[in-house]
Amino acid sequence: MSAPLRLVLFDVDGTLVDSQGSIVSAMTACFDAQSLPVPEREAILSIVGLSLPNAMAQLASEHSDSVQHRLVEGYKEAYHAQRLEQGAAGSPLYPGARDAIEALHAVPEVLLGVATGKSQRGLDALIEAHGLERFFVTRQVADHHPSKPHPSMIDTARSETGVDAANTVMIGDTKFDMDMAHAAGVAGIGVTWGYHDRSVLDRATCIIETFDQLPRALDDIWT
């Protein structure tokens, strides 16, 4: 009897790539362009993972919708300019990320995907910059879904791949990722190298500290 299909979904920023420098720089640029005080670095990193309008609504909650919209557009422009200038160097893969992706991809019954607050343009550019095009069979982005922690990204990835909830795992560094996994009824693996403190990953099925620990974590969930 063949093994059931498994689906492993990765968050991107703070999980696969360390993009905090680019995120903080772009956020600084868009607030500066509107002559507004720039939020503290910790505040900026706390909203990574949310869709951009939701993130800006938190960072600029005292400002009008029109100001928030200008901030969103300014962030997109600044981030895009940085990506053109820096390429993959602006969002390097975390140690062990590529090896983990390649090892999972080599298992016939395992399908890989991403569920990210990035835009389609941003995700596609990042995947191309790192040469990861062949690995991910489903790519869920902020353009097409409500913001995390709504389960839409996971639900759609499961629908596209035909994998049931019991055989799906979401891997991420933020509370939003773990809450999304919980809302979708799938296991969540929290990682400690990203942007949210371990203490807020309370809905994680388990927590890992390095990519080397991922195979064992997946085995424990699926057996």
Side-chain angles (χ1 to χ4, degrees):
M1 183 176 178
S2 61
L5 282 178
R6 317 282 199 184
L7 175 61
V8 179
L9 296 171
F10 289 95
D11 168 56
V12 176
D13 296 310
T15 301
L16 290 180
V17 300
D18 186 5
S19 49
Q20 63 178 299
S22 295
I23 291 170
V24 171
S25 177
M27 200 66 76
T28 299
C30 74
F31 273 81
D32 280 345
Q34 298 297 320
S35 300
L36 296 174
V38 178
E40 295 291 332
R41 184 183 189 89
E42 287 185 1
I44 294 172
L45 294 181
S46 75
I47 53 79
V48 174
L50 293 176
S51 298
L52 195 50
N54 294 58
M56 211 62 79
Q58 289 197 24
L59 290 177
S61 58
E62 70 275 26
H63 298 292
S64 67
D65 290 347
S66 62
V67 170
Q68 291 179 19
H69 176 73
R70 290 198 295 274
L71 288 168
V72 166
E73 294 307 310
Y75 178 91
K76 290 178 180 178
E77 292 173 8
Y79 199 94
H80 181 59
Q82 286 181 171
R83 186 168 65 242
L84 292 176
E85 179 182 345
Q86 299 177 5
S91 296
L93 288 165
Y94 280 107
R98 184 180 295 276
D99 289 345
I101 290 168
E102 291 179 349
L104 286 170
H105 184 258
V107 181
E109 66 269 21
V110 173
L111 304 176
L112 301 181
V114 294
T116 175
K118 281 186 169 307
S119 67
Q120 188 77 63
R121 181 177 72 170
L123 177 64
D124 290 349
L126 183 74
I127 285 176
E128 181 180 359
H130 286 292
L132 301 174
E133 295 94 333
R134 66 190 178 94
F135 294 109
F136 301 114
V137 300
T138 180
R139 304 181 189 181
Q140 306 304 321
V141 297
D143 304 45
H144 312 309
H145 298 281
S147 179
K148 299 176 183 180
H150 193 284
S152 176
M153 290 188 188
I154 295 176
D155 292 345
T156 303
R158 286 187 47 238
S159 177
E160 288 182 0
T161 57
V163 179
D164 63 27
N167 289 314
T168 300
V169 173
M170 177 68 204
I171 302 169
D173 68 303
T174 70
K175 176 176 175 60
F176 313 128
D177 296 313
M178 297 303 98
D179 287 354
M180 178 174 66
H182 183 267
V186 308
I189 297 178
V191 307
T192 62
W193 56 79
Y195 306 147
H196 280 194
D197 189 85
R198 182 187 189 121
S199 63
V200 304
L201 305 178
D202 53 300
R203 280 182 160 161
T205 307
C206 64
I207 296 176
I208 62 174
E209 296 177 351
T210 67
F211 270 110
D212 290 344
Q213 297 172 352
L214 181 56
R216 173 63 183 273
L218 289 170
D219 285 345
D220 288 346
I221 288 170
W222 285 332
T223 59

